[in-house]
Amino acid sequence: MIDIILFQPKCGVWDIMGARVPIGLLSIGAVPCNKGYKVVLIDQRIDFDWQSKIKKYINQGAKIVCLTTMVGEQILHMMEVSKFIKSIDSNILTILGGSWPQTQPEMCMQDKNIDVVCYGEGDYLLTELMAYCEGKKKISDVLGIIHRTKEGTIKRTAPRQPVQNLDELPKIPYRLVNLRDYTAVGFRQGKPSISVVTSRGCQFRCTFCSMVPLYGQSWRGYSVDRLMEDIAELESKYGIKDFFFNDDLITGDFKRFTEFLEALAKSGRDYNWGTPGMRGDAVLRLTKDEKAMDNLIKSGCKNLDIGVESGSPRILKLIKKDTTVDVIRRVNQKMSKYPVIMKYNFMGGFPTETEGEFFDTMRLRRILQEENEYAIAPIYFFTPVPETQIFTLAIENGFQPPTKLQEWADFNYDTWYKKYPSWLTKRMIHLIDNAVFLSYFSNKKMSYKYPNPLLNILFKLYYPLAKLRNDNDYYGFMFEKSLAEFIVKIDGKFNLFNRIQKKFFFKKSESLNTYS
């Protein structure tokens, strides 16, 4: 018998980067698994026969299907799956969670095949909804949801309070997936790696970030003891020693972070790790502590991401980044002494940003890479997200956002500016779009971000041309972008990249096949 189906829809262009373990779904599956419910997980990115699996599990008695989505193409895939589920059994309770429902829960109910939307943390949600399915609880008593009544009306229940002590949560049920099908980073090509979340939230106030309205500038983290226990288990059970600590802010408690570094360093386990959740001021603070820096290196740190966002002081103030260009340059100069890839993330296309201010960004990223051989500096196109402070500014400057769920499915980070009216001129779109594309491929150190074997090969083939263009600021006649768009379309139809990853990536590590 099956009780709950967790379903991970395809993401779209992000899938080409390599499928990471669906940690969000696995996290909300932890409590029901611990309570004895039979839970299964289907991942559309790698389960190419997902329809037959859904049919099989529904026939085996599944009462709930829980899906997830972020903004963009994943909404389209989610709606395809929810429609398919209801075509098999209209009585199945369909639940939707993820980053998009967190900010737009009512809009998500426009999908008539969704019964419940989770607008808070979902750790205890599925067990309560199973109690509802079993007639033991009223759905109106389940906190943090929007639900559709039998009469078709939409009701919102009272908010659910966030889990304050993350250590109280059961262990992630990795057994629900085959971890050999996933990867996270390419520190050691051909070796297994995994994304791990060590904390939730962020205390800062960046106006473009959806975490601010979601968590209200709050932060909570697992204890160091719990983290080390979980990491040791991933190594002993699954042979994994390379980790991507996928936090929004891993230094939310700086003391916890330094203690974590010390524990990793003292373990002597030859771990490798990176994280996107760093700030320049935190790294600067770290460099002033000789013991902490020694532990950073001994712990196996291979990469730190810092969100710089812009080289323009005015834009940094506009987005309330609470940092300066000087801080970032000092961080970079101090970290140049260490063999740690410093990934400085930038954005272009902010509301009111001028061409000159974007060139300030281009100059800063070039300086950082010249001053530190381990520095990389990709650029991303700014994307206006509902409920963020800057979203209002975007609308004031001419942005006309989608109004329906189906329209937001066509709102992708790499194409929205070509489809929706905004403040951006054609010249700015052309400039930023080409600079963004080249930034992904013009630094050889970026290769660790492409663990998918096919994408890694394509990166190595294109790198010389991308570097030549980048070094000479030549953005004209970029025929290769059309080729990349064609590859993305082909992958969208045939799931080529993840098929290759699943078939070939872990061949060398089959002797570690203790996955269960």
XYZ file of all heavy atoms in Angstrom, residues 288-348:
483
model
N 39.906 37.616 9.232
C 40.590 38.230 10.372
C 40.874 37.227 11.480
O 41.521 37.563 12.473
C 39.744 39.383 10.914
C 39.570 40.530 9.924
C 38.632 41.603 10.475
C 38.428 42.720 9.462
N 37.466 43.753 9.965
N 40.381 35.996 11.303
C 40.542 34.943 12.321
C 41.413 33.838 11.720
O 40.958 33.040 10.899
C 39.162 34.403 12.712
C 39.224 33.389 13.843
O 40.255 32.716 14.012
O 38.205 33.246 14.555
N 42.663 33.797 12.120
C 43.621 32.848 11.538
C 43.189 31.398 11.743
O 43.300 30.569 10.825
C 45.006 33.073 12.147
C 46.104 32.246 11.499
C 47.480 32.560 12.060
O 47.674 33.673 12.603
O 48.363 31.691 11.960
N 42.669 31.095 12.924
C 42.224 29.726 13.205
C 41.052 29.347 12.311
O 41.006 28.234 11.751
C 41.829 29.591 14.670
C 41.328 28.198 15.042
C 40.863 28.135 16.497
C 40.291 26.761 16.823
N 39.762 26.708 18.224
N 40.106 30.277 12.158
C 38.936 29.999 11.323
C 39.337 29.788 9.868
O 38.804 28.900 9.189
C 37.926 31.138 11.431
N 40.290 30.585 9.380
C 40.733 30.418 7.987
C 41.467 29.093 7.805
O 41.326 28.432 6.769
C 41.637 31.578 7.583
C 40.897 32.892 7.347
S 39.578 32.749 6.109
C 40.512 32.304 4.647
N 42.221 28.694 8.817
C 42.901 27.400 8.751
C 41.877 26.273 8.696
O 42.010 25.327 7.909
C 43.807 27.244 9.975
C 44.658 25.981 9.908
O 45.344 25.782 8.880
O 44.627 25.185 10.872
N 40.826 26.391 9.494
C 39.758 25.384 9.477
C 38.992 25.398 8.158
O 38.558 24.350 7.678
C 38.794 25.621 10.639
C 39.359 25.177 11.969
O 40.186 24.265 12.033
N 38.917 25.816 13.048
N 38.804 26.587 7.583
C 38.113 26.690 6.299
C 38.809 25.838 5.246
O 38.156 25.071 4.526
C 38.065 28.152 5.840
C 37.351 28.405 4.504
C 35.845 28.388 4.696
C 37.802 29.726 3.893
N 40.117 25.952 5.178
C 40.877 25.194 4.182
C 40.913 23.705 4.536
O 40.666 22.842 3.674
C 42.297 25.756 4.048
C 42.258 27.242 3.670
C 43.084 24.959 3.006
C 41.454 27.567 2.438
N 41.183 23.388 5.798
C 41.257 21.985 6.216
C 39.904 21.281 6.123
O 39.851 20.058 5.963
C 41.785 21.901 7.648
C 43.271 22.220 7.782
C 43.732 22.084 9.225
C 45.217 22.372 9.352
N 45.682 22.291 10.765
N 38.821 22.038 6.208
C 37.487 21.433 6.148
C 37.119 20.958 4.754
O 36.142 20.224 4.583
C 36.436 22.452 6.624
O 36.300 23.507 5.685
N 37.893 21.406 3.741
C 37.621 20.993 2.373
C 36.849 22.015 1.564
O 36.270 21.674 0.526
N 36.827 23.261 2.007
C 36.108 24.296 1.259
C 36.739 24.502 -0.116
O 37.932 24.793 -0.228
C 36.121 25.610 2.039
S 35.290 26.953 1.170
N 35.939 24.366 -1.155
C 36.408 24.538 -2.527
C 35.770 25.749 -3.204
O 36.275 26.203 -4.238
C 36.091 23.279 -3.350
C 36.724 22.008 -2.828
C 38.240 22.115 -2.796
C 38.877 20.848 -2.230
N 40.349 21.009 -2.060
N 34.679 26.247 -2.637
C 33.957 27.331 -3.307
C 33.083 28.101 -2.319
O 32.423 27.519 -1.468
C 33.105 26.748 -4.441
C 31.821 27.521 -4.672
O 30.745 26.996 -4.404
N 31.907 28.750 -5.128
N 33.101 29.433 -2.444
C 32.194 30.306 -1.716
C 31.526 31.241 -2.714
O 32.208 31.860 -3.532
C 32.941 31.133 -0.659
C 33.662 30.364 0.463
C 34.458 31.331 1.326
C 32.669 29.586 1.313
N 30.201 31.319 -2.655
C 29.453 32.261 -3.496
C 29.134 33.513 -2.695
O 28.678 33.417 -1.547
C 28.115 31.661 -3.949
C 28.267 30.648 -5.068
O 29.369 30.091 -5.219
O 27.275 30.411 -5.770
N 29.336 34.659 -3.314
C 28.951 35.930 -2.701
C 28.074 36.694 -3.673
O 28.437 36.883 -4.841
C 30.183 36.778 -2.332
C 31.016 36.089 -1.259
C 29.763 38.173 -1.867
C 32.287 36.835 -0.890
N 26.913 37.116 -3.220
C 26.048 37.929 -4.056
C 26.501 39.375 -4.027
O 26.243 40.085 -3.049
N 27.181 39.815 -5.063
C 27.632 41.206 -5.163
C 26.529 42.043 -5.807
O 26.249 43.160 -5.399
C 28.936 41.320 -5.985
C 29.413 42.765 -6.035
C 30.019 40.423 -5.409
N 25.945 41.516 -6.845
C 24.808 42.061 -7.599
C 25.174 43.206 -8.540
O 24.792 43.186 -9.704
C 23.664 42.524 -6.678
C 23.366 41.673 -5.471
C 23.248 40.183 -5.698
O 23.204 39.710 -6.837
O 23.227 39.440 -4.691
N 25.948 44.213 -8.074
C 26.226 45.365 -8.938
C 27.556 46.010 -8.583
O 28.008 45.938 -7.428
C 25.107 46.407 -8.819
O 25.385 47.553 -9.608
N 28.150 46.641 -9.574
C 29.362 47.433 -9.342
C 29.051 48.896 -9.166
O 29.961 49.724 -9.036
N 27.779 49.248 -9.161
C 27.357 50.641 -9.015
C 26.951 50.923 -7.573
O 26.020 50.290 -7.046
C 26.160 50.922 -9.936
O 25.467 52.085 -9.533
N 27.579 51.887 -6.912
C 27.188 52.232 -5.537
C 25.714 52.634 -5.429
O 25.048 52.290 -4.445
C 28.114 53.409 -5.198
C 29.325 53.200 -6.054
C 28.791 52.631 -7.340
N 25.191 53.347 -6.435
C 23.781 53.748 -6.371
C 22.856 52.538 -6.416
O 21.882 52.452 -5.652
C 23.441 54.691 -7.534
C 22.010 55.280 -7.420
C 21.607 56.056 -8.647
N 21.278 55.192 -9.772
C 20.075 54.652 -9.965
N 19.100 54.843 -9.102
N 19.857 53.876 -11.024
N 23.147 51.584 -7.291
C 22.309 50.385 -7.397
C 22.395 49.557 -6.113
O 21.383 49.031 -5.627
C 22.701 49.535 -8.619
C 22.405 50.291 -9.919
C 21.978 48.196 -8.608
C 20.927 50.566 -10.158
N 23.587 49.460 -5.520
C 23.727 48.717 -4.263
C 22.858 49.324 -3.168
O 22.275 48.597 -2.354
C 25.200 48.689 -3.830
C 26.138 47.816 -4.681
C 27.581 47.978 -4.218
C 25.730 46.348 -4.625
N 22.768 50.659 -3.142
C 21.884 51.311 -2.168
C 20.417 51.077 -2.525
O 19.586 50.858 -1.644
C 22.192 52.802 -2.122
C 23.524 53.145 -1.474
C 23.762 54.642 -1.442
C 25.107 54.968 -0.799
N 25.377 56.436 -0.795
N 20.105 51.130 -3.815
C 18.730 50.929 -4.268
C 18.198 49.565 -3.836
O 17.050 49.443 -3.403
C 18.661 51.062 -5.792
C 17.302 50.761 -6.447
C 16.329 51.897 -6.179
C 17.468 50.544 -7.956
N 19.025 48.530 -3.952
C 18.576 47.173 -3.643
C 18.834 46.805 -2.177
O 18.607 45.661 -1.775
C 19.239 46.136 -4.579
C 20.756 46.114 -4.399
C 18.863 46.420 -6.030
C 21.469 45.060 -5.234
N 19.326 47.779 -1.394
C 19.579 47.590 0.039
C 20.468 46.373 0.304
O 20.170 45.528 1.159
C 18.256 47.465 0.807
C 17.383 48.706 0.698
C 16.091 48.558 1.494
C 15.229 49.813 1.355
N 13.941 49.703 2.089
N 21.555 46.326 -0.453
C 22.476 45.203 -0.329
C 23.311 45.279 0.944
O 23.850 44.269 1.412
C 23.394 45.150 -1.567
C 24.230 43.895 -1.664
C 23.374 42.656 -1.817
C 24.191 41.387 -1.702
N 23.384 40.167 -1.818
N 23.432 46.470 1.496
C 24.177 46.680 2.736
C 25.622 46.195 2.630
O 26.161 45.560 3.547
C 23.473 46.006 3.922
C 22.120 46.642 4.228
O 21.915 47.813 3.847
O 21.265 45.965 4.831
N 26.232 46.502 1.494
C 27.647 46.250 1.293
C 28.166 47.307 0.326
O 27.399 48.112 -0.194
C 27.908 44.830 0.761
O 29.312 44.535 0.858
C 27.498 44.694 -0.703
N 29.480 47.310 0.104
C 30.090 48.284 -0.803
C 31.057 47.587 -1.750
O 31.506 46.456 -1.490
C 30.859 49.364 -0.023
O 31.971 48.745 0.652
C 29.951 50.065 0.984
N 31.410 48.294 -2.811
C 32.403 47.777 -3.754
C 33.736 47.583 -3.046
O 34.454 46.597 -3.295
C 32.547 48.733 -4.960
C 33.756 48.343 -5.809
C 31.275 48.728 -5.803
N 34.067 48.490 -2.133
C 35.333 48.396 -1.399
C 35.403 47.121 -0.571
O 36.440 46.450 -0.526
C 35.498 49.619 -0.495
C 36.785 49.548 0.323
O 37.880 49.568 -0.274
O 36.684 49.454 1.568
N 34.296 46.769 0.090
C 34.266 45.528 0.886
C 34.529 44.320 -0.004
O 35.326 43.438 0.339
C 32.909 45.384 1.610
C 32.735 43.955 2.152
C 32.796 46.379 2.740
N 33.883 44.280 -1.150
C 34.050 43.138 -2.054
C 35.483 43.045 -2.557
O 36.061 41.946 -2.625
C 33.067 43.246 -3.239
C 31.613 43.220 -2.739
C 33.311 42.124 -4.242
C 31.245 42.017 -1.916
N 36.094 44.177 -2.886
C 37.484 44.146 -3.374
C 38.439 43.691 -2.276
O 39.377 42.938 -2.533
C 37.880 45.517 -3.916
C 37.212 45.860 -5.248
C 37.952 46.940 -5.983
N 39.312 46.544 -6.311
C 40.192 47.360 -6.913
N 39.834 48.600 -7.242
N 41.417 46.940 -7.189
N 38.203 44.126 -1.048
C 39.068 43.698 0.064
C 38.915 42.200 0.320
O 39.910 41.492 0.571
C 38.739 44.497 1.322
C 39.337 45.900 1.314
C 39.218 46.554 2.668
N 37.859 46.965 2.959
C 37.313 46.937 4.166
N 37.989 46.459 5.209
N 36.074 47.347 4.362
N 37.688 41.706 0.246
C 37.454 40.261 0.398
C 38.234 39.503 -0.674
O 38.933 38.517 -0.382
C 35.949 39.937 0.277
C 35.731 38.433 0.098
C 35.192 40.429 1.498
N 38.113 39.956 -1.892
C 38.747 39.264 -3.012
C 40.268 39.245 -2.877
O 40.916 38.230 -3.156
C 38.346 39.957 -4.313
C 38.731 39.157 -5.534
O 38.385 37.979 -5.649
N 39.452 39.782 -6.454
N 40.838 40.373 -2.475
C 42.291 40.443 -2.325
C 42.779 39.515 -1.221
O 43.808 38.843 -1.366
C 42.700 41.895 -2.045
C 42.550 42.801 -3.255
C 42.504 44.281 -2.905
O 42.634 44.660 -1.728
N 42.288 45.121 -3.908
N 42.046 39.452 -0.107
C 42.452 38.571 0.986
C 42.278 37.097 0.619
O 43.125 36.259 0.942
C 41.656 38.896 2.251
C 42.039 40.227 2.892
C 41.276 40.470 4.167
C 41.694 41.792 4.819
N 43.105 41.766 5.282
N 41.199 36.764 -0.096
C 40.941 35.376 -0.467
C 41.815 34.908 -1.624
O 41.884 33.705 -1.904
C 39.463 35.190 -0.823
C 38.516 35.277 0.369
S 38.882 34.084 1.690
C 38.647 32.526 0.843
N 42.487 35.815 -2.304
C 43.363 35.434 -3.423
C 44.534 34.571 -2.962
O 45.188 33.922 -3.779
C 43.879 36.683 -4.136
O 44.739 37.440 -3.291
N 44.793 34.560 -1.655
C 45.891 33.759 -1.104
C 45.506 32.292 -0.934
O 46.369 31.461 -0.627
C 46.313 34.324 0.257
C 46.676 35.802 0.249
C 46.848 36.310 1.668
C 47.039 37.816 1.719
N 47.103 38.326 3.115
N 44.220 31.991 -1.108
C 43.733 30.645 -0.803
C 43.145 29.985 -2.057
O 42.542 30.652 -2.907
C 42.661 30.704 0.288
C 43.130 31.377 1.554
C 42.877 32.735 1.773
C 43.823 30.669 2.528
C 43.305 33.366 2.932
C 44.256 31.295 3.697
C 43.996 32.647 3.890
O 44.423 33.265 5.034
N 43.287 28.655 -2.174
C 42.772 27.933 -3.361
C 41.276 27.638 -3.258
O 40.839 26.491 -3.326
C 43.590 26.648 -3.353
C 43.851 26.389 -1.899
C 44.040 27.745 -1.275
N 40.496 28.691 -3.070
C 39.041 28.579 -2.955
C 38.408 29.377 -4.081
O 38.699 30.571 -4.241
C 38.546 29.115 -1.591
C 37.023 29.078 -1.528
C 39.150 28.311 -0.440
N 37.573 28.729 -4.873
C 36.903 29.445 -5.960
C 35.905 30.428 -5.360
O 34.952 30.036 -4.692
C 36.192 28.472 -6.913
C 37.205 27.559 -7.605
C 35.371 29.240 -7.960
C 36.580 26.477 -8.454
N 36.123 31.696 -5.618
C 35.224 32.750 -5.144
C 34.280 33.098 -6.296
O 34.701 33.666 -7.302
C 36.012 33.983 -4.701
C 36.969 33.716 -3.541
S 36.127 33.125 -2.041
C 35.107 34.539 -1.645
N 33.030 32.752 -6.129
C 32.042 32.997 -7.173
C 31.244 34.243 -6.805
O 30.420 34.225 -5.896
C 31.118 31.789 -7.335
C 30.058 31.923 -8.418
C 29.391 30.570 -8.669
C 28.206 30.692 -9.601
N 26.973 31.054 -8.864
N 31.531 35.316 -7.509
C 30.852 36.587 -7.266
C 29.685 36.711 -8.235
O 29.889 36.819 -9.447
C 31.827 37.750 -7.445
C 33.008 37.699 -6.503
C 34.265 37.278 -6.946
C 32.873 38.054 -5.159
C 35.354 37.229 -6.084
C 33.953 38.002 -4.289
C 35.191 37.587 -4.755
O 36.256 37.529 -3.888
N 28.478 36.676 -7.714
C 27.282 36.715 -8.555
C 26.818 38.156 -8.769
O 26.667 38.922 -7.815
C 26.156 35.906 -7.913
C 26.508 34.433 -7.803
O 26.990 33.835 -8.758
N 26.284 33.848 -6.638
N 26.594 38.490 -10.039
C 26.139 39.830 -10.410
C 24.808 39.739 -11.135
O 24.421 38.685 -11.641
C 27.161 40.507 -11.321
C 28.442 40.896 -10.638
C 29.509 40.006 -10.561
C 28.582 42.156 -10.077
C 30.683 40.366 -9.927
C 29.765 42.522 -9.445
C 30.823 41.624 -9.370
N 24.117 40.878 -11.186
C 22.891 40.987 -11.965
C 22.933 42.263 -12.798
O 23.591 43.241 -12.430
C 21.653 41.007 -11.067
C 21.292 39.650 -10.488
S 19.638 39.627 -9.739
C 19.998 40.380 -8.154
N 22.209 42.220 -13.905
C 22.051 43.400 -14.731
C 20.592 43.576 -15.098
O 19.842 42.598 -15.162
